[in-house]
Amino acid sequence: MSALFSVLCVALGGASGALVRFALASRFDKNGRPFGTFAANMCASFLLGVLMSLSARHGLPRWFDLLAETGFCATLSTFSSLAFQIADMVSTRRYGACAVYASATFAFGMVLFLSAYKLFW
């Protein structure tokens, strides 16, 4: 596989993931409640678990791994938005919401990833 084709796969997957994430955030991130970002991160965690399991078990083509895992899932999930939203909650003294959001994102993200990985293994 050529380097150019690899870059194009990542770029296409990344653009698609970014658009889905933008749509979720636009629709569900309201009034300081980051439900869209949370949903994007949970979907990406589950989908990445499925894809990594299928890839490990069935050897998916490298171009598909680049498109779906490196491109789509990496841009669908977003650590930078999570960090910004947590910082915003801290600066507005919403400590309880901050603790719940940060903990739930990590805990549910890991549960979804591991469940998907085991489910499709």
Side-chain angles (χ1 to χ4, degrees):
M1 175 172 24
S2 74
L4 177 61
F5 185 66
S6 296
V7 168
L8 290 174
C9 288
V10 173
L12 180 60
S16 301
L19 290 172
V20 171
R21 192 201 135 350
F22 175 75
L24 287 168
S26 296
R27 174 77 170 98
F28 297 110
D29 282 359
K30 305 287 184 202
N31 302 320
R33 294 185 177 105
F35 295 128
T37 301
F38 182 79
N41 287 334
M42 297 307 103
C43 290
S45 294
F46 183 80
L47 183 58
L48 186 62
V50 170
L51 293 169
M52 291 188 78
S53 181
L54 292 175
S55 184
R57 187 173 174 127
H58 302 292
L60 297 176
R62 178 74 178 136
W63 68 266
F64 187 79
D65 284 340
L66 291 171
L67 179 99
E69 294 171 13
T70 306
F72 185 81
C73 287
T75 56
L76 178 58
S77 65
T78 172
F79 185 79
S80 59
S81 291
L82 172 71
F84 171 79
Q85 291 160 341
I86 288 171
D88 182 59
M89 289 178 190
V90 169
S91 71
T92 56
R93 296 188 171 131
R94 293 181 289 147
Y95 302 117
C98 177
V100 168
Y101 179 50
S103 299
T105 297
F106 180 75
F108 288 124
M110 288 304 301
V111 166
L112 287 170
F113 174 82
L114 294 171
S115 297
Y117 191 87
K118 292 291 184 183
L119 182 66
F120 287 89
W121 184 255

